[in-house]
């Protein structure tokens, strides 16, 4: 089944403890992207990637890192999480000419 | 990418057509209009997209005005399962690069 898989689905962590949210797609898509969603603020793009080793900042990149070493994986790294990064995170992938992004099921992160 | 404006909420009776408007008055000639929806806190789901012609697929129809400054998503026979937040976005290429989702329209389908 074609899908975008995020892990974990839920995570509670403490301030300052480095964490990684993984994202993997099995559709051979060139494009991948991370979003965060907060009440009243819609979906905001954190980082996106056009292909392997090509990444760029979205609208809210501060406090996040990404890497794209393989086409299928696009992990989101929080080096020193803070409570304002408590949010619902979505990974998405797509390709040129396709119908639209395919989104993962989301990761609900709480930083205490 | 052009900014979009959508009403915050709409109601629709079950079985009737739901018409969701989107204003994108600053759209450029090479920008597409995309529609997604999000049910509860699930990942958004692609619905339909278009450049200048009206489009129809198994889920919905998309009507784009001739000047391309606005569009309407039509769900022809809304069901309770269509209750969701609907996002209209405009972007220069199909899936690459930056894309911004606004707050969308919360559609409530009522029995």
């Amino acid at each position: 089944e074609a899908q975008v898989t995020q892990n974990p689905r839920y995570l509670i962590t403490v301030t300052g403890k480095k964490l990684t949210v993984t994202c993997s797609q099995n559709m051979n898509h060139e494009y991948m992207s991370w979003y965060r969603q907060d009440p009243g603020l819609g979906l905001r793009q954190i980082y996106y990637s056009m292909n392997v080793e090509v990444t760029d900042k979205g609208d809210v990149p501060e406090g996040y890192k990404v890497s794209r070493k393989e086409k299928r994986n696009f992990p989101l790294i929080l080096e020193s999480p803070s409570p304002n990064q408590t949010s619902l995170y979505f990974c998405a992938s797509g390709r040129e000419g396709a119908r639209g992004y395919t989104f993962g099921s989301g990761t609900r992160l709480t930083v205490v | 990418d052009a900014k979009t404006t959508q009403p915050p909420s709409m109601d629709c009776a079950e079985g009737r057509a739901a018409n969701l408007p989107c204003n994108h008055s600053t759209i450029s000639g090479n920008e597409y209009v995309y529609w997604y929806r999000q049910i509860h806190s699930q990942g958004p789901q692609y619905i339909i997209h278009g450049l200048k012609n009206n489009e129809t697929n198994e889920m919905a129809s998309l009507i784009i005005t001739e000047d391309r400054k606005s569009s309407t998503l039509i769900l022809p026979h809304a069901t309770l399962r269509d209750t969701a937040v609907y996002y209209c976005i405009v972007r220069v290429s199909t899936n690459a690069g930056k894309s911004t989702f606004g707050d969308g329209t919360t559609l409530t389908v009522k029995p």
Side-chain angles (χ1 to χ4, degrees):
Chain A
E1 180 189 352
Q3 60 186 356
V4 176
T5 303
Q6 295 179 230
N7 280 299
R9 291 291 309 277
Y10 301 91
L11 178 61
I12 301 174
T13 190
V14 297
T15 298
K17 184 177 181 182
K18 181 179 178 180
L19 67 92
T20 299
V21 184
T22 63
C23 174
S24 180
Q25 51 95 3
N26 62 0
M27 296 164 282
N28 202 36
H29 285 167
E30 303 92 59
Y31 309 135
M32 298 187 75
S33 192
W34 275 103
Y35 293 85
R36 62 176 288 174
Q37 186 171 35
D38 304 287
L41 294 175
L43 279 153
R44 295 180 293 168
Q45 193 175 36
I46 304 170
Y47 270 95
Y48 62 92
S49 171
M50 305 281 278
N51 214 323
V52 175
E53 303 291 3
V54 182
T55 63
D56 208 345
K57 297 177 181 179
D59 295 320
V60 288
E62 294 77 21
Y64 304 95
K65 285 176 56 176
V66 292
S67 69
R68 187 95 182 270
K69 293 182 168 47
E70 305 166 280
K71 199 171 187 178
R72 64 183 291 126
N73 296 323
F74 191 43
L76 180 69
I77 303 156
L78 284 72
E79 295 269 4
S80 183
S82 63
N84 65 12
Q85 292 179 297
T86 291
S87 187
L88 178 59
Y89 291 86
F90 290 103
C91 179
S93 74
R95 61 175 175 79
E96 191 63 40
R99 290 154 45 93
Y101 268 137
T102 300
F103 280 80
S105 299
T107 295
R108 190 169 291 280
L109 172 67
T110 302
V111 184
V112 298
Chain B
D1 292 344
K3 183 178 169 60
T4 62
T5 305
Q6 300 177 253
S9 64
M10 293 181 64
D11 291 342
C12 178
E14 188 178 18
R16 304 295 295 269
N19 297 286
L20 293 94
C22 179
N23 183 289
H24 31 80
S25 57
T26 60
I27 192 170
S28 299
N30 61 346
E31 288 182 313
Y32 293 81
V33 179
Y34 273 78
W35 284 83
Y36 288 80
R37 74 178 182 184
Q38 185 178 28
I39 298 173
H40 298 300
S41 294
Q42 298 176 22
Q45 175 191 23
Y46 164 85
I47 301 174
I48 198 167
H49 76 282
L51 184 61
K52 58 175 91 172
N53 298 320
N54 298 338
E55 301 287 344
T56 295
N57 64 19
E58 66 279 5
M59 291 182 68
S61 295
L62 173 61
I63 308 297
I64 303 173
T65 58
E66 194 167 341
D67 63 6
R68 303 208 327 120
K69 293 184 176 183
S70 65
S71 60
T72 301
L73 178 74
I74 300 172
L75 308 178
H77 306 287
T79 71
L80 299 178
R81 286 177 293 183
D82 291 322
T83 292
V85 179
Y86 287 79
Y87 297 98
C88 165
I89 67 170
V90 175
R91 58 185 308 165
V92 294
S93 75
T94 50
N95 285 307
K98 276 194 174 185
S99 69
T100 300
F101 287 68
D103 289 335
T105 295
T106 299
L107 174 69
T108 303
V109 180
K110 299 185 174 181

